[in-house]
Structures are given as structure tokens and as C-alpha cells.
Amino acid sequence: MSAITCLTITIATLVMTIASIVSKKTIIDREKSSPFECGFDPLGSARIPFSLRFFLIAVIFLIFDVEITLLLPLVSIVELTNIFTWTLTGLAFLLILLFGLYLEWINGALEWSS
């Protein structure tokens, strides 16, 4: 190893060690050191039932979020492809999204309270 590599590793190790020592807190607060997970008390029972409706809406949100990230590149490829193909692909994708949203709406999956 060269001298510059050894010096870089030494400085990085020294900075990380100093940062670790300085960042240690002397007062340990039980509430601040416990993990916070969606409002559930982590010290209680892990078998407490949660709202299945909340889980369903979260999954639907994730699905539509991923589909929107798949839809965004259509804007950047408009100049690289045929306009007819681009329009047909974009409309087909949007129609599939709208059809899925319509089915979820009809089945009542988007209602928070029942």
C-alpha cells in the first residue's frame, strides 16, 4: 500500500472513532432508545391485532407508487420513439391503472371505515 492510502485509512478510522466517542449519550432514556413502529408499544405483546384495512390501503399505495415510477420514463423517451407507439403504450398503461383503481373502488377496498 502506498503512503497516501495508509494516511487516508488512518484519518478515516480516527474520524470515525472520535465521532463514535463524541456521539455517545450519557443519559439513557427508555422511550428514546426503544424502537418506534407505527404507534405500537414495542414493550407490549407482539400479537396485538392491527387494522387489516390499513394494511390493504398501504399495499394499494405501494402498488400505485411503483406503477407511477414505471410511467415516468415515458416522458423522457418521447423523442426517441414513434409518437403513435408512445401514445398507444402510455394510454394502455394508464387504462390498466384506471381499470385496477375502478375495481378496487367498486370492491370497497379504498374505504377506510366500513
Side-chain angles (χ1 to χ4, degrees), residues 14-55:
L14 184 65
V15 168
M16 287 191 302
T17 305
I18 291 172
S20 176
I21 291 171
V22 171
S23 69
K24 297 289 182 188
K25 295 183 179 179
T26 57
I27 301 172
I28 298 175
D29 189 8
R30 181 177 165 195
E31 291 294 323
K32 289 184 180 178
S33 63
S34 67
F36 180 76
E37 297 181 11
C38 301
F40 295 118
D41 184 17
L43 303 175
S45 173
R47 301 292 181 205
I48 297 174
F50 62 95
S51 173
L52 189 60
R53 181 72 58 186
F54 172 77
F55 178 73

Side-chain angles (χ1 to χ4, degrees), residues 55-84:
F55 178 73
L56 182 64
I57 289 179
V59 168
I60 291 171
F61 170 76
L62 286 176
I63 290 170
F64 278 102
D65 195 35
V66 168
E67 289 173 348
I68 286 175
T69 59
L70 293 174
L71 191 62
L72 283 176
L74 276 177
V75 177
S76 63
I77 65 165
V78 70
E79 295 155 353
L80 302 174
T81 185
N82 183 5
I83 194 69
F84 178 72

